[in-house]
Amino acid sequence: QKEVEQDPGPLSVPEGAIVSLNCTYSNSAFQYFMWYRQYSRKGPELLMYTYSSGNKEDGRFTAQVDKSSKYISLFIRDSQPSDSATYLCAMSDDSGGSNYKLTFGKGTLLTVNP
Amino acid sequence: DAGITQSPRHKVTETGTPVTLRCHQTENHRYMYWYRQDPGHGLRLIHYSYGVKDTDKGEVSDGYSVSRSKTEDFLLTLESATSSQTSVYFCAISPPGMEETQYFGPGTRLLVL
């Protein structure tokens, strides 16, 4: 079982739709959860960051973490064509020291059609 | 790009030649990372550094070496490039106080013929 599983898509939605992106994980030590957005031929950009369980909202984006189910989600409301990108989930534990390694999902390709 | 530059941005080289990629940051961050990104594999950690001259291996370090003689520069060297090292290479940093997160540079596209 891979440590982080993410549906690769592709996911195609009409403009204005609500988008739900998800990752599951197996390592119960993960405490920090991130979502990155990567446009074509660009570097990943940190979009959302949450610690432990709960929700975090930033504009049209909401990140949810359910540690009991080992499941994280990113919701995009009122999706726009400019949201078309690959979305990567990432997570790390709190072992710290010299070892702050992220474990990434493989990414979901999202296309928002005008 | 969190003050990160990568050079070169594109490179074509031949099998067997050495290649060095440079990551430069302007904020004196302690932690720096090198990843490669390939279709079907996602982002994979090659090497990372937690200070000047302090480096360690990631999950795909075979065929790669790194050096960090100054805080601002983290070099990735392919000792003898192979076609399997054709990839997009990303450098990343962790800002102080948020070491559990990473910010990425723009990437270097490397083609090994």
Side-chain angles (χ1 to χ4, degrees):
Chain A
Q1 181 186 9
K2 294 184 173 61
E3 272 200 299
V4 177
E5 300 272 8
Q6 183 175 8
D7 187 337
L11 183 60
S12 181
V13 301
E15 183 175 353
I18 297 174
V19 176
S20 172
L21 304 167
N22 311 293
C23 288
T24 58
Y25 63 95
S26 58
N27 186 349
S28 58
F30 287 145
Q31 295 281 359
Y32 302 96
F33 303 92
M34 284 139 275
W35 285 95
Y36 287 84
R37 178 175 61 194
Q38 186 175 21
Y39 292 115
S40 180
R41 304 179 76 84
K42 301 290 187 183
E45 168 194 8
L46 182 62
L47 192 60
M48 298 287 283
Y49 161 64
T50 53
Y51 172 70
S52 195
S53 285
N55 294 358
K56 183 174 184 178
E57 187 174 322
D58 183 2
R60 296 184 296 109
F61 298 89
T62 299
Q64 286 186 352
V65 175
D66 182 349
K67 291 188 68 182
S68 62
S69 302
K70 297 190 179 65
Y71 188 87
I72 69 170
S73 300
L74 177 70
F75 296 96
I76 307 174
R77 292 184 300 279
D78 187 26
S79 56
Q80 302 295 309
S82 59
D83 295 327
S84 297
T86 296
Y87 290 80
L88 304 161
C89 63
M91 44 202 81
S92 67
D93 60 31
D94 58 357
S95 56
S98 65
N99 185 0
Y100 286 101
K101 294 182 184 176
L102 292 184
T103 302
F104 286 88
K106 293 185 179 179
T108 300
L109 177 61
L110 171 68
T111 300
V112 181
N113 301 298
Chain B
D1 292 332
I4 304 170
T5 57
Q6 294 186 232
S7 58
R9 295 292 312 279
H10 300 86
K11 186 169 182 67
V12 180
T13 191
E14 293 186 350
T15 297
T17 60
V19 176
T20 295
L21 309 182
R22 180 183 183 234
C23 177
H24 178 77
Q25 52 124 340
T26 59
E27 303 292 330
N28 290 323
H29 297 305
R30 179 182 174 194
Y31 294 93
M32 299 184 75
Y33 308 83
W34 275 109
Y35 289 88
R36 59 178 290 173
Q37 187 176 39
D38 306 285
H41 292 280
L43 281 162
R44 293 182 290 175
L45 182 65
I46 304 172
H47 281 279
Y48 64 99
S49 171
Y50 45 95
V52 173
K53 296 190 182 351
D54 291 323
T55 64
D56 207 346
K57 297 179 180 180
E59 63 178 298
V60 291
S61 59
D62 287 347
Y64 301 94
S65 63
V66 290
S67 65
R68 193 169 178 199
S69 58
K70 298 186 290 184
T71 300
E72 59 265 35
D73 288 325
F74 192 30
L75 304 180
L76 177 71
T77 297
L78 290 64
E79 303 289 348
S80 177
T82 67
S83 58
S84 64
Q85 293 175 312
T86 292
S87 187
V88 182
Y89 291 86
F90 289 103
C91 175
I93 59 93
S94 291
M98 289 183 66
E99 285 85 359
E100 63 280 357
T101 65
Q102 294 176 18
Y103 291 82
F104 286 81
T108 294
R109 292 185 170 271
L110 176 67
L111 174 61
V112 183
L113 299 175

